[in-house]
PDB file of all heavy atoms in Angstrom:
ATOM      1  N   GLU M  10       6.099  15.723 -10.356  1.00 88.00           N
ATOM      2  CA  GLU M  10       6.785  14.632 -11.044  1.00 88.00           C
ATOM      3  C   GLU M  10       6.070  13.325 -10.711  1.00 88.00           C
ATOM      4  O   GLU M  10       5.480  13.192  -9.651  1.00 88.00           O
ATOM      5  CB  GLU M  10       8.245  14.538 -10.580  1.00 88.00           C
ATOM      6  CG  GLU M  10       9.095  15.763 -10.902  1.00 88.00           C
ATOM      7  CD  GLU M  10       9.301  15.970 -12.395  1.00 88.00           C
ATOM      8  OE1 GLU M  10       9.340  14.967 -13.138  1.00 88.00           O
ATOM      9  OE2 GLU M  10       9.406  17.134 -12.812  1.00 88.00           O
ATOM     10  N   PRO M  11       6.158  12.342 -11.599  1.00 93.00           N
ATOM     11  CA  PRO M  11       5.564  11.046 -11.285  1.00 93.00           C
ATOM     12  C   PRO M  11       6.267  10.396 -10.093  1.00 93.00           C
ATOM     13  O   PRO M  11       7.448  10.661  -9.841  1.00 93.00           O
ATOM     14  CB  PRO M  11       5.806  10.209 -12.545  1.00 93.00           C
ATOM     15  CG  PRO M  11       6.352  11.125 -13.575  1.00 93.00           C
ATOM     16  CD  PRO M  11       6.787  12.383 -12.900  1.00 93.00           C
ATOM     17  N   VAL M  12       5.546   9.558  -9.382  1.00 94.00           N
ATOM     18  CA  VAL M  12       6.119   8.786  -8.281  1.00 94.00           C
ATOM     19  C   VAL M  12       6.104   7.319  -8.697  1.00 94.00           C
ATOM     20  O   VAL M  12       5.049   6.774  -9.020  1.00 94.00           O
ATOM     21  CB  VAL M  12       5.311   8.981  -6.980  1.00 94.00           C
ATOM     22  CG1 VAL M  12       5.818   8.041  -5.889  1.00 94.00           C
ATOM     23  CG2 VAL M  12       5.365  10.428  -6.518  1.00 94.00           C
ATOM     24  N   ASN M  13       7.267   6.701  -8.699  1.00 96.00           N
ATOM     25  CA  ASN M  13       7.374   5.279  -9.002  1.00 96.00           C
ATOM     26  C   ASN M  13       7.178   4.511  -7.697  1.00 96.00           C
ATOM     27  O   ASN M  13       7.936   4.702  -6.740  1.00 96.00           O
ATOM     28  CB  ASN M  13       8.751   4.966  -9.611  1.00 96.00           C
ATOM     29  CG  ASN M  13       8.874   3.502  -9.936  1.00 96.00           C
ATOM     30  OD1 ASN M  13       9.107   2.683  -9.050  1.00 96.00           O
ATOM     31  ND2 ASN M  13       8.695   3.175 -11.197  1.00 96.00           N
ATOM     32  N   LEU M  14       6.161   3.661  -7.652  1.00 96.00           N
ATOM     33  CA  LEU M  14       5.832   2.969  -6.403  1.00 96.00           C
ATOM     34  C   LEU M  14       6.918   1.990  -5.974  1.00 96.00           C
ATOM     35  O   LEU M  14       7.184   1.842  -4.775  1.00 96.00           O
ATOM     36  CB  LEU M  14       4.484   2.260  -6.516  1.00 96.00           C
ATOM     37  CG  LEU M  14       3.276   3.165  -6.742  1.00 96.00           C
ATOM     38  CD1 LEU M  14       2.002   2.343  -6.795  1.00 96.00           C
ATOM     39  CD2 LEU M  14       3.185   4.241  -5.668  1.00 96.00           C
ATOM     40  N   THR M  15       7.571   1.335  -6.916  1.00 95.00           N
ATOM     41  CA  THR M  15       8.657   0.411  -6.572  1.00 95.00           C
ATOM     42  C   THR M  15       9.795   1.165  -5.893  1.00 95.00           C
ATOM     43  O   THR M  15      10.315   0.741  -4.845  1.00 95.00           O
ATOM     44  CB  THR M  15       9.166  -0.319  -7.827  1.00 95.00           C
ATOM     45  OG1 THR M  15       8.067  -1.012  -8.429  1.00 95.00           O
ATOM     46  CG2 THR M  15      10.262  -1.302  -7.476  1.00 95.00           C
ATOM     47  N   THR M  16      10.173   2.300  -6.463  1.00 96.00           N
ATOM     48  CA  THR M  16      11.231   3.129  -5.878  1.00 96.00           C
ATOM     49  C   THR M  16      10.797   3.672  -4.521  1.00 96.00           C
ATOM     50  O   THR M  16      11.578   3.677  -3.560  1.00 96.00           O
ATOM     51  CB  THR M  16      11.578   4.296  -6.824  1.00 96.00           C
ATOM     52  OG1 THR M  16      11.980   3.745  -8.089  1.00 96.00           O
ATOM     53  CG2 THR M  16      12.687   5.156  -6.268  1.00 96.00           C
ATOM     54  N   ALA M  17       9.552   4.116  -4.433  1.00 96.00           N
ATOM     55  CA  ALA M  17       9.040   4.663  -3.172  1.00 96.00           C
ATOM     56  C   ALA M  17       9.056   3.601  -2.076  1.00 96.00           C
ATOM     57  O   ALA M  17       9.492   3.863  -0.946  1.00 96.00           O
ATOM     58  CB  ALA M  17       7.637   5.219  -3.377  1.00 96.00           C
ATOM     59  N   LEU M  18       8.617   2.382  -2.390  1.00 97.00           N
ATOM     60  CA  LEU M  18       8.620   1.307  -1.391  1.00 97.00           C
ATOM     61  C   LEU M  18      10.038   0.942  -0.965  1.00 97.00           C
ATOM     62  O   LEU M  18      10.275   0.597   0.194  1.00 97.00           O
ATOM     63  CB  LEU M  18       7.896   0.072  -1.928  1.00 97.00           C
ATOM     64  CG  LEU M  18       6.374   0.166  -1.931  1.00 97.00           C
ATOM     65  CD1 LEU M  18       5.774  -0.884  -2.843  1.00 97.00           C
ATOM     66  CD2 LEU M  18       5.828   0.053  -0.513  1.00 97.00           C
ATOM     67  N   ALA M  19      10.985   1.052  -1.875  1.00 96.00           N
ATOM     68  CA  ALA M  19      12.379   0.727  -1.559  1.00 96.00           C
ATOM     69  C   ALA M  19      13.032   1.786  -0.672  1.00 96.00           C
ATOM     70  O   ALA M  19      14.088   1.543  -0.102  1.00 96.00           O
ATOM     71  CB  ALA M  19      13.180   0.556  -2.848  1.00 96.00           C
ATOM     72  N   SER M  20      12.389   2.933  -0.509  1.00 96.00           N
ATOM     73  CA  SER M  20      12.991   4.034   0.254  1.00 96.00           C
ATOM     74  C   SER M  20      12.766   3.935   1.754  1.00 96.00           C
ATOM     75  O   SER M  20      13.285   4.742   2.517  1.00 96.00           O
ATOM     76  CB  SER M  20      12.468   5.383  -0.266  1.00 96.00           C
ATOM     77  OG  SER M  20      11.115   5.586   0.125  1.00 96.00           O
ATOM     78  N   PHE M  21      11.977   2.943   2.205  1.00 95.00           N
ATOM     79  CA  PHE M  21      11.759   2.763   3.643  1.00 95.00           C
ATOM     80  C   PHE M  21      11.487   1.291   3.928  1.00 95.00           C
ATOM     81  O   PHE M  21      11.103   0.539   3.033  1.00 95.00           O
ATOM     82  CB  PHE M  21      10.614   3.655   4.153  1.00 95.00           C
ATOM     83  CG  PHE M  21       9.243   3.303   3.621  1.00 95.00           C
ATOM     84  CD1 PHE M  21       8.347   2.583   4.400  1.00 95.00           C
ATOM     85  CD2 PHE M  21       8.842   3.702   2.353  1.00 95.00           C
ATOM     86  CE1 PHE M  21       7.086   2.266   3.921  1.00 95.00           C
ATOM     87  CE2 PHE M  21       7.584   3.395   1.859  1.00 95.00           C
ATOM     88  CZ  PHE M  21       6.701   2.670   2.648  1.00 95.00           C
ATOM     89  N   ASP M  22      11.731   0.895   5.190  1.00 95.00           N
ATOM     90  CA  ASP M  22      11.600  -0.510   5.569  1.00 95.00           C
ATOM     91  C   ASP M  22      10.493  -0.785   6.581  1.00 95.00           C
ATOM     92  O   ASP M  22      10.065  -1.918   6.737  1.00 95.00           O
ATOM     93  CB  ASP M  22      12.917  -1.021   6.184  1.00 95.00           C
ATOM     94  CG  ASP M  22      14.040  -1.045   5.169  1.00 95.00           C
ATOM     95  OD1 ASP M  22      13.775  -1.360   3.992  1.00 95.00           O
ATOM     96  OD2 ASP M  22      15.186  -0.732   5.553  1.00 95.00           O
TER      97      ASP M  22
END
Side-chain angles (χ1 to χ4, degrees):
E10 297 294 329
V12 173
N13 180 282
L14 297 182
T15 302
T16 302
L18 283 163
S20 73
F21 66 101
D22 294 323

